[in-house]
């Protein structure tokens, strides 16, 4: 049995997020510029390499695997990868296989995902207004995503909606989104916008809507009760007493979750980022490609985990985008 992955701050690494592509069929304003240059195919890990990489992490104690991107469901043959990962669910080593998606391809893949052992899916959706949806995603169409969500629920997948809180954009939809989710038994989490990547002319500070403010707005209509801290992740949860709904808040700009951070990220080119908010990363593709045996890869993984920083440096407090990270969210997968 391999020694599990423990970082220098005694955190056991149990959660791996893997970006399987940098490409996407949307161009969300906070995530990408309209004219993106994507990586040449040879830079990407192949599906077989992704399998070897994820399987190594599972051997080293990772219990939860989240597939992301770019848009993971636009990667060619991605279902082959999901099906192959399901063997780790069957063996019991992996407790959860899940994904974050923009929902555009869910109508096609929901049943296959369920068959591969996926039980929950996070769908990113910031607005229920068709025109606003087209504006924020540039290339996305709302009805297609809504059909995807319907298909996911019909297939038996539990859906969680992730909405980026955007000032002067979806502030006025707080209650519409909340009650829409309640009526469909969909969990809802709000995410504070993060200063990631060069996204063209969008003004990030202008887009920032603090979740503290969002929470007080909720409290004007509902009785909002804090729920006890959950495991490892950046989300905090409250319950709306009137509806019984649980609402999550992801505030990556506050430092309140770094202490319990149990996750690392792999980009589609096989770089490992041990902190979303830091530039520090190591290459795992080289070690992976250098040897057919996985021992070189496992040594490289351990060496990278030994460099996991204590926390990150995002800071909006001085109304400048401090601690800004130059890579796009679609690179590390959010
Ligand atoms: N394409 C998939 C999707 O949209 O769900 C997966 C990848 S996307 C990069 C993952 C998550 O990151 C999405 O929920 C998206 O809203 C979020 N995201 C992207 N850019 C962000 C930013 N600058 N700040 C906060 N969240 C961001
Ligand atoms: Fe694509 Fe997701 Fe980024 Fe939107 S947030 S552009 S859907 S990767």
């Amino acid at each position: 049995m391999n020694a599990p992955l423990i970082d220098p701050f005694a955190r056991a690494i149990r959660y791996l997020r893997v970006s399987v592509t940098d490409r996407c069929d949307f161009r969300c304003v906070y995530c990408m510029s309209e004219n993106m240059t994507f990586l040449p195919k040879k830079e990407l890990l192949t599906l077989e390499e992704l399998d070897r990489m994820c399987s190594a992490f599972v051997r080293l104690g990772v219990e939860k695997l989240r597939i992301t991107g770019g848009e993971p469901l636009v990667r060619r043959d991605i279902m082959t990868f999901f099906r192959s990962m399901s063997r780790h669910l069957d063996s019991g080593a992996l407790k959860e296989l899940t994904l974050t998606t923009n929902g555009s391809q869910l109508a096609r893949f929901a049943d296959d995902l369920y068959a591969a052992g996926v039980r929950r899916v996070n769908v990113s959706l910031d607005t229920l207004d068709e025109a606003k949806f087209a504006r924020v995603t540039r290339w996305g169409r709302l009805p297609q995503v809504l059909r995807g969500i319907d298909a996911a629920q019909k297939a038996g997948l539990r859906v969680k909606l992730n909405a980026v809180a955007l000032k002067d954009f979806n502030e006025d939809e707080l209650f519409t989104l909340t009650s829409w989710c309640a009526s469909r038994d969909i969990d809802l989490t709000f995410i504070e916008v993060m200063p990631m990547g060069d996204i063209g002319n969008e003004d990030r500070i202008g887009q920032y809507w603090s979740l503290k403010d969002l929470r007080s707005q909720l409290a004007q209509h509902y009785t909002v009760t804090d729920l006890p801290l959950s495991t490892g992740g950046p989300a905090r949860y409250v319950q709306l007493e009137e509806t019984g709904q649980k609402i999550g808040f992801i505030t990556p700009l506050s430092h309140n979750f770094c202490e319990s951070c149990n996750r690392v990220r792999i980009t589609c080119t096989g770089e490992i980022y041990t902190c979303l908010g830091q530039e520090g990363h190591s290459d795992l593709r080289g070690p992976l490609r250098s040897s057919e045996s996985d021992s070189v890869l496992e040594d490289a993984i351990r060496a990278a985990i030994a460099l996991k920083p204590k926390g990150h440096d995002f800071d909006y407090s001085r109304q400048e985008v401090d601690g800004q990270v130059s890579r796009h969210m679609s690179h590390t997968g959010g």
Side-chain angles (χ1 to χ4, degrees), residues 113-134:
L113 287 168
Y114 189 89
V118 174
R119 292 295 175 263
R120 295 197 304 163
V121 52
N122 287 3
V123 181
S124 306
L125 178 60
D126 307 327
T127 172
L128 291 169
D129 178 293
E130 242 183 278
K132 279 162 78 179
F133 185 84

Side-chain angles (χ1 to χ4, degrees), residues 17 19 21 23-26 28-32 67-73 99-103 122-126 162-166 191-197 199 204 207 252 316 328-334:
R17 298 171 74 106
S19 170
T21 178
R23 282 156 207 263
C24 187
D25 50 347
F26 291 3
C28 302
V29 295
Y30 44 73
C31 180
M32 293 192 181
I67 308 306
T68 176
E71 174 46 41
L73 297 181
L99 73 154
T100 300
T101 171
N102 65 22
N122 287 3
V123 181
S124 306
L125 178 60
D126 307 327
N162 282 339
V164 177
L166 294 166
I191 312 178
E192 261 177 11
V193 72
M194 283 185 270
M196 306 283 290
I199 44 158
R204 288 191 189 84
Q207 293 175 337
Y316 270 118
H328 287 95
M329 191 71 132
S330 51
H331 188 65
T332 19

Side-chain angles (χ1 to χ4, degrees), residues 311-327:
H312 62 71
D313 303 320
F314 286 138
D315 184 6
Y316 270 118
S317 59
R318 287 183 289 123
Q319 285 298 291
E320 290 169 20
V321 186
D322 274 7
Q324 183 166 330
V325 169
S326 61
R327 64 182 188 273

Side-chain angles (χ1 to χ4, degrees), residues 28-328:
C28 302
V29 295
Y30 44 73
C31 180
M32 293 192 181
S33 60
E34 185 137 31
N35 301 307
M36 293 289 290
T37 311
F38 293 110
L39 294 162
K41 217 174 143 203
K42 65 175 187 333
E43 298 283 323
L44 301 192
L45 296 184
T46 64
L47 294 180
E48 294 73 28
E49 287 170 339
L50 280 167
D51 187 323
R52 262 183 78 197
M53 180 78 82
C54 294
S55 301
F57 274 95
V58 170
R59 266 197 310 281
L60 296 176
V62 159
E63 296 177 336
K64 177 169 173 180
L65 185 58
R66 177 175 295 279
I67 308 306
T68 176
E71 174 46 41
L73 297 181
V74 302
R75 170 97 195 231
R76 212 164 156 216
D77 282 340
I78 194 64
M79 281 308 134
T80 310
F81 171 75
F82 275 100
R83 274 192 293 274
S84 148
M85 281 300 105
S86 68
R87 72 185 187 278
H88 298 305
L89 290 169
D90 297 341
S91 78
L94 193 61
K95 305 269 186 293
E96 185 170 38
L97 173 62
T98 184
L99 73 154
T100 300
T101 171
N102 65 22
S104 70
Q105 309 301 316
L106 267 180
R108 261 168 82 198
F109 292 126
D111 288 330
D112 292 343
L113 287 168
Y114 189 89
V118 174
R119 292 295 175 263
R120 295 197 304 163
V121 52
N122 287 3
V123 181
S124 306
L125 178 60
D126 307 327
T127 172
L128 291 169
D129 178 293
E130 242 183 278
K132 279 162 78 179
F133 185 84
R135 190 143 51 92
V136 75
T137 62
R138 293 200 187 101
W139 294 6
R141 295 299 170 257
L142 182 65
Q144 189 181 351
V145 172
L146 296 181
R147 278 196 299 277
I149 292 176
D150 286 344
Q153 290 194 295
K154 208 163 148 240
L157 298 169
R158 176 101 201 139
V159 175
K160 189 179 90 169
L161 217 93
N162 282 339
V164 177
L166 294 166
K167 195 150 193 74
D168 300 330
F169 180 78
N170 57 8
E171 261 179 292
D172 58 342
E173 285 188 78
L174 178 58
F175 299 108
T176 330
L177 273 168
T178 308
S179 49
W180 188 80
C181 286
S183 71
R184 278 158 202 249
D185 193 23
I186 289 177
D187 296 323
L188 174 60
T189 291
F190 290 99
I191 312 178
E192 261 177 11
V193 72
M194 283 185 270
M196 306 283 290
D198 172 13
I199 44 158
N201 296 323
E202 305 297 329
D203 171 7
R204 288 191 189 84
I205 300 281
Q207 293 175 337
Y208 176 64
W209 174 21
S210 106
L211 294 191
K212 212 167 141 201
D213 185 45
L214 189 155
R215 189 191 192 283
S216 351
Q217 290 189 35
L218 271 181
Q220 288 171 13
H221 282 245
Y222 296 104
T223 315
V224 178
T225 312
D226 284 305
L227 293 174
L229 297 187
S230 63
T231 50
R236 294 283 173 271
Y237 293 95
V238 298
Q239 181 153 323
L240 307 186
E241 297 305 337
E242 288 77 2
T243 62
Q245 236 173 321
K246 211 172 81 166
I247 308 275
F249 299 109
I250 299 186
T251 50
L253 307 178
S254 65
H255 284 244
N256 60 10
F257 61 89
C258 295
E259 305 73 50
S260 56
C261 179
N262 65 352
R263 61 192 57 197
V264 295
R265 295 175 163 79
I266 305 279
T267 67
C268 54
T269 57
E271 295 163 325
I272 178 170
Y273 282 81
T274 52
C275 173
L276 178 62
Q278 299 268 11
E279 296 282 6
H281 60 277
S282 322
D283 171 47
L284 295 180
R285 190 183 59 190
L288 177 82
R289 288 185 176 169
S290 72
S291 161
E292 276 181 19
S293 136
D294 285 338
S295 65
V296 182
L297 173 63
E298 287 184 10
D299 288 347
I301 293 174
R302 284 188 198 287
I305 300 297
L307 298 174
K308 183 167 162 71
K310 197 166 176 198
H312 62 71
D313 303 320
F314 286 138
D315 184 6
Y316 270 118
S317 59
R318 287 183 289 123
Q319 285 298 291
E320 290 169 20
V321 186
D322 274 7
Q324 183 166 330
V325 169
S326 61
R327 64 182 188 273
H328 287 95

